[in-house]
Amino acid sequence: NLKGASGAAREGQAGQDTDEPSEQGNNLPSGYCEIIINDDLVYKTRVKQYTSMPFFEAGTEVFIRDWKETVVRVVVRDSRLREKDPILGIVHLPLQEILTESSEVTRLFSIQEGVGFGRANISVLFKAVDAKLPRNMLGWDTGTVEVLKPIQVTIDPEHQESFALKSHTLIVSTTDSTEKIGSTVGESDNARVTWDVDKIRLPVYSRYSSSLTFDVGYKGGLGPMKGSAAALAIQWLQDIPDDEEVEVKLPLLVSKDVKTLRQNYVNEHAAIGHEYTTIGYLTTTIKIDSGLDPDHEKYAKSQARRHAYETYDHIEGQAIIAERNAHAGDDGVVDKKEKAAIEAAHKKQLLSRQRGIAQFRPYRTAVWMKEGIRRRMPGKKSSGKREPTVKSEA
């Protein structure tokens, strides 16, 4: 249901049968469901037109690496014409909590954190697979790579004279995000260069097919004189466990074809088909923070990723920002920046639940038009990255 009734039909009146929702009215939703597993949208049902009691005889089967760390979210949305589809409600299902007594659960769950209210009857069945995976293979596909300690490059003695950095610029990147570090360094000589950086956070999707790349001594350029790095260090994220600090020591490579080399896993087999030279090592400490966080918002370009992020934002994201803003006055003063952050968070909460100005349809249509025009702007290049595959009801 989208909104309560008034007068004699108001919810909770004496003699009212609250188990029988009305199928008459001009505010009936056209509902559909999305299934999100570990912050990745994996399944979407068909739309059931104009009913407050939609029935979906649909389901999907998904392989999960570690059921104790898996979170399933069933999102109920309302399909609307010339509007963004709002979230009617979300069912949050941590498998470790709901599968405590049985491998199969069928019961009613309340839908929350949306513009509507109600209950959903959901069945969850867990089928065990005899597979013992190493710790680093039990993580989530979506996360954030954190570089926690200074980045140090050490050049081997035999290469110190032949190798010279074109600049002290360092670029740290994943498949989805990039962070450029200026030429400020803690110490520098022919043998060693150190970048004293604060914590760097790089959002990543499809982490098991992504790498963390360090372009050392990057020198910019335009057109035919496009910039390049003096050396390269690669850490594939499949080797790093979730939520665990890991010190890495990566070989620093020099190659004539850096573009091809960065796409390969560097080991003894890579040396057969690629020419490169190891001139030293790069050391730092990294960590993979599993799941979505506010850093992913600007990278959620496709509909599947936008919907996954909106769900995360309703369940966790807005609560994290609210907790952060709650400490704005700890020093006794709320400055302009903190005040603006509090007002922005409040406005975002109103808009996400269609309160305030968002309760008027012309405003919601204008927002929908603005975002559609922005996505279709001429000259906007495609990222070229593969979008997530979402199964749908047949």
Side-chain angles (χ1 to χ4, degrees):
N1 199 352
L2 292 179
K3 58 184 180 180
S6 60
R10 186 176 180 182
E11 182 181 4
Q13 291 292 317
Q16 183 183 14
D17 187 357
T18 57
D19 291 333
E20 295 295 334
S22 173
E23 286 296 303
Q24 298 179 356
N26 58 0
N27 67 322
L28 294 176
S30 298
Y32 65 93
C33 291
E34 295 173 331
I35 298 178
I36 297 174
I37 298 180
N38 292 346
D39 287 339
D40 288 322
L41 180 61
V42 298
Y43 188 77
K44 180 180 178 180
T45 69
R46 290 182 292 177
V47 177
K48 300 297 183 179
Q49 296 286 349
Y50 305 117
T51 176
S52 61
M53 295 184 295
F55 179 79
F56 304 98
E57 192 175 358
T60 187
E61 187 174 51
V62 179
F63 174 77
I64 55 177
R65 298 182 178 91
D66 185 1
W67 71 274
K68 292 183 179 180
E69 299 294 333
T70 297
V71 176
V72 179
R73 289 169 181 157
V74 180
V75 189
V76 185
R77 287 182 177 267
D78 182 14
S79 178
R80 294 186 180 178
L81 185 64
R82 299 186 179 90
E83 288 185 41
K84 293 175 63 177
D85 296 349
I87 295 177
L88 298 178
I90 303 169
V91 179
H92 183 67
L93 303 172
L95 294 189
Q96 189 174 17
E97 296 180 11
I98 68 171
L99 298 177
T100 53
E101 298 179 358
S102 173
S103 61
E104 182 178 7
V105 174
T106 301
R107 62 185 178 92
L108 288 171
F109 299 89
S110 62
I111 61 174
Q112 302 172 354
E113 301 295 337
V115 300
F117 59 90
R119 292 173 296 177
N121 189 33
I122 299 174
S123 296
V124 178
L125 172 62
F126 173 71
K127 298 178 181 179
V129 176
D130 187 12
K132 295 181 180 180
L133 301 178
R135 173 85 173 86
N136 59 290
M137 298 300 293
L138 297 176
W140 291 19
D141 277 326
T142 298
T144 303
V145 182
E146 298 180 345
V147 181
L148 303 175
K149 292 186 179 180
I151 302 170
Q152 185 179 83
V153 168
T154 304
I155 308 300
D156 292 339
E158 61 270 24
H159 296 287
Q160 290 177 10
E161 294 184 2
S162 61
F163 177 77
L165 291 177
K166 292 177 286 186
S167 75
H168 285 150
T169 301
L170 172 68
I171 293 182
V172 186
S173 60
T174 65
T175 309
D176 300 281
S177 55
T178 300
E179 183 78 18
K180 184 176 181 180
I181 303 173
S183 58
T184 303
V185 296
E187 57 176 304
S188 175
D189 54 40
N190 289 337
R192 183 179 294 105
V193 181
T194 302
W195 285 267
D196 293 326
V197 298
D198 295 328
K199 181 191 293 185
I200 300 174
R201 292 178 59 84
L202 298 170
V204 62
Y205 295 97
S206 303
R207 148 283 180 89
Y208 281 101
S209 58
S210 299
S211 63
L212 178 66
T213 306
F214 299 86
D215 290 305
V216 180
Y218 186 86
K219 188 174 182 180
L222 297 174
M225 303 298 293
K226 189 175 181 180
S228 60
L232 181 75
I234 308 170
Q235 172 64 60
W236 285 90
L237 300 180
Q238 66 173 8
D239 297 329
I240 307 297
D242 275 5
D243 305 311
E244 184 177 314
E245 294 186 12
V246 177
E247 294 185 5
V248 295
K249 184 178 181 180
L250 308 176
L252 192 63
L253 311 175
V254 173
S255 173
K256 295 181 180 179
D257 191 0
V258 174
K259 183 178 180 180
T260 302
L261 183 62
R262 70 171 63 243
Q263 302 176 26
N264 288 269
Y265 193 101
V266 179
N267 54 17
E268 64 275 11
H269 301 289
I272 299 175
H274 303 277
E275 294 184 5
Y276 63 85
T277 303
T278 302
I279 62 169
Y281 290 91
L282 181 147
T283 57
T284 187
T285 299
I286 65 176
K287 173 185 174 183
I288 297 181
D289 183 10
S290 59
L292 292 171
D293 58 39
D295 295 326
H296 285 80
E297 184 172 11
K298 65 179 180 180
Y299 298 101
K301 303 297 184 181
S302 65
Q303 185 187 67
R305 286 177 175 162
R306 286 198 308 271
H307 282 198
Y309 183 82
E310 288 173 8
T311 303
Y312 155 81
D313 193 48
H314 279 242
I315 295 292
E316 298 181 49
Q318 294 179 11
I320 293 173
I321 294 175
E323 183 180 0
R324 184 188 308 159
N325 291 337
H327 297 282
D330 287 354
D331 56 356
V333 178
V334 179
D335 57 29
K336 291 183 178 180
K337 185 177 180 180
E338 292 171 337
K339 185 177 180 180
I342 294 172
E343 292 177 350
H346 178 63
K347 181 180 179 180
K348 185 177 182 179
Q349 290 178 352
L350 291 177
L351 295 180
S352 67
R353 287 159 176 79
Q354 295 193 353
R355 298 295 187 263
I357 193 174
Q359 64 185 305
F360 301 107
R361 183 171 182 178
Y363 174 82
R364 301 196 301 268
T365 301
V367 172
W368 171 81
M369 292 174 61
K370 179 181 177 182
E371 294 186 357
I373 293 172
R374 185 183 301 167
R375 289 196 298 269
R376 293 169 176 81
M377 286 289 289
K380 191 172 183 180
K381 295 183 179 180
S382 172
S383 64
K385 298 170 186 172
R386 183 177 179 180
E387 298 298 340
T389 301
V390 181
K391 298 179 182 179
S392 59
E393 183 180 359

